[in-house]
Amino acid sequence: VFPYDPQLEQWIDNGLLEPLNPWLEEIGVDVDELIEMNQLAVKDGNVYAVVVSSNPRVLLHNTAMFDAAGIPVPTTPEEFRSAIEAIKDDEGQKFGFATMSAAATDTITYLEIMPIIAGFGGGFLTDGQPSANSPETVAALSFIEDLYDNELIPVGQDQNVYRDEFVKAQVASLTIGGFMMGVVRDQAPDNFDDMDAAPLPFGSDTTVAVNVFIGIPSGAQDKEAAGHFIQEVLSDEMQPEIPRVMTAIPARADLIPQDFVDENPWFQTVIDASQVAKSYVPEGAGALAPEVMRAVTTRYQEMLFTDATAPDVNVSTASATSSWPSPDSALKNPTPPLMRAGSSLTKRRHASTS
């Protein structure tokens, strides 16, 4: 099975995954020598999954579009906003940046906005405690609100649409993982050489990563065969293929091929980001992670589609999360109270186009 970050802790806590320790010990793999993200799969000394690929978020950008506007790669929020404004054309066909501006699922919306939130140094939970109204989180949402209200990002587009526009060189930058470079390479090879990666330009050294894990269901019929497959995934032969094929960070970062990095210098930025990345799931939420993502998405959509402002959204989100039980008690009662949206989503600032 291949859980992502949000599923992993729930599956471990519910006893759905088999400890991999015997198979790791057999091939001499120490989980402490794998990338830091693999610690998400460790509980009470047992390793329940290993990372297949990790995608820390960076600023992927089209250098040709930035150069055409005479704009250097931004390193601050102010520079980034100026670049976004300079690249956008009058016809609304080209944009400097895109992020979630449509009604989408909780998980997708949360994933798409978290690089910006974390890049500002913010978060909706910190060590399991509400932090949605921190100055950093307010600043991050205000940044998105400003871009949306001034139509500096495509309005009414979800991630599938604006990622496709990035591939086609209609959107100049995304806060996204290195996997997107593989998509450009495969779907628009003529644009690939124009693409580069830079650290997130939001003022902190923090970013988030989206991780794909592999584990064995506790009820699997042939655990030995599954264990041997995981051993193969971690082998000296397979690990170097993860960057080459998936343009992502493997579990064993020491096996990233240097010739691949030499041929793709942008990947060094991804490697550097992996050293400071944290999981995109709400920090310390445990079994409450889906509820946190739902509350954040509800209020994020209020900010875009109603008269609610970023500070309003932060206060209401903090209030909602503070009303929940602890993650431990939520395992016994997995349906905590969720404060519903305070206003209708029918009063939209912009008409959705997707």
Side-chain angles (χ1 to χ4, degrees):
V1 291
F2 296 88
Y4 283 71
D5 307 48
Q7 295 89 28
L8 184 64
E9 186 171 358
Q10 296 177 51
W11 291 9
I12 293 172
D13 289 337
N14 286 295
L16 300 179
L17 296 176
E18 185 76 13
L20 302 181
N21 301 54
W23 292 283
L24 299 182
E25 292 168 3
E26 187 175 304
I27 60 172
V29 169
D30 184 345
V31 68
D32 291 333
E33 296 177 357
L34 303 181
I35 63 172
E36 182 65 25
M37 287 298 158
N38 223 103
Q39 294 300 320
L40 297 171
V42 179
K43 184 176 183 179
D44 299 330
N46 289 317
V47 184
Y48 289 94
V50 293
V51 170
V52 174
S53 63
S54 181
N55 268 286
R57 269 29 189 174
V58 296
L59 184 71
L60 292 189
H61 57 281
N62 187 309
T63 59
M65 295 180 72
F66 275 77
D67 290 346
I71 301 294
V73 178
T75 60
T76 67
E78 295 77 17
E79 290 177 358
F80 191 31
R81 190 197 186 281
S82 295
I84 293 169
E85 188 170 18
I87 292 171
K88 181 180 181 293
D89 66 7
D90 294 337
E91 293 76 28
Q93 299 299 311
K94 292 189 177 183
F95 289 87
F97 178 62
T99 191
M100 183 61 68
S101 63
T105 66
D106 306 335
T107 300
I108 293 297
T109 299
Y110 194 90
L111 185 158
E112 290 295 300
I113 66 173
M114 270 309 296
I116 303 173
I117 304 298
F120 270 86
F124 296 101
L125 288 182
T126 302
D127 294 328
Q129 299 302 311
S131 55
N133 56 1
S134 70
E136 296 83 2
T137 310
V138 172
L141 284 176
S142 296
F143 181 82
I144 301 173
E145 181 183 32
D146 170 60
L147 297 180
Y148 182 86
D149 286 352
N150 289 286
E151 299 188 21
L152 294 178
I153 56 175
V155 170
Q157 289 189 4
D158 65 18
Q159 84 285 358
N160 292 323
V161 177
Y162 56 71
R163 288 179 182 179
D164 186 58
E165 294 298 293
F166 177 73
V167 171
K168 296 176 180 177
Q170 298 298 309
V171 167
S173 62
L174 298 176
T175 50
I176 200 165
F179 77 92
M180 198 67 203
M181 293 291 275
V183 176
V184 176
R185 177 192 63 197
D186 296 340
Q187 295 185 7
D190 290 345
N191 293 336
F192 182 74
D193 287 343
D194 291 333
M195 300 299 178
D196 203 353
L200 298 180
F202 300 121
S204 82
D205 294 329
T206 306
T207 187
V208 293
V210 179
N211 306 286
V212 181
F213 296 83
I214 184 171
I216 302 174
S218 55
Q221 292 184 352
D222 195 343
K223 295 177 183 177
E224 277 301 313
H228 290 313
F229 179 76
I230 291 175
Q231 290 177 333
E232 180 65 23
V233 169
L234 291 172
S235 69
D236 291 358
E237 294 74 30
M238 182 69 74
Q239 284 290 288
E241 295 305 307
I242 302 297
R244 296 187 195 279
V245 176
M246 305 175 73
T247 54
I249 301 293
R252 299 174 61 188
D254 59 304
L255 292 180
I256 296 172
Q258 186 57 49
D259 64 334
F260 174 78
V261 180
D262 292 342
E263 295 167 4
N264 299 274
W266 59 268
F267 197 73
Q268 185 60 54
T269 301
V270 178
I271 295 173
D272 294 343
S274 73
Q275 306 300 314
V276 297
K278 58 184 180 180
S279 174
Y280 77 95
V281 297
E283 184 178 313
L288 295 179
E291 294 296 327
V292 175
M293 290 189 280
R294 184 179 308 155
V296 169
T297 296
T298 297
R299 284 151 182 81
Y300 180 76
Q301 291 173 353
E302 285 183 42
M303 183 186 76
L304 297 186
F305 307 141
T306 77
D307 291 331
T309 65
D312 296 335
V313 169
N314 289 86
V315 169
S316 64
T317 304
S319 176
T321 53
S322 66
S323 72
W324 293 338
S326 69
D328 289 340
S329 64
L331 291 174
K332 303 175 183 178
N333 178 22
T335 311
L338 176 66
M339 292 181 65
R340 300 299 176 186
S343 56
S344 169
L345 297 186
T346 58
K347 185 180 179 182
R348 297 174 182 262
R349 288 175 173 158
H350 303 294
S352 177
T353 58
S354 67

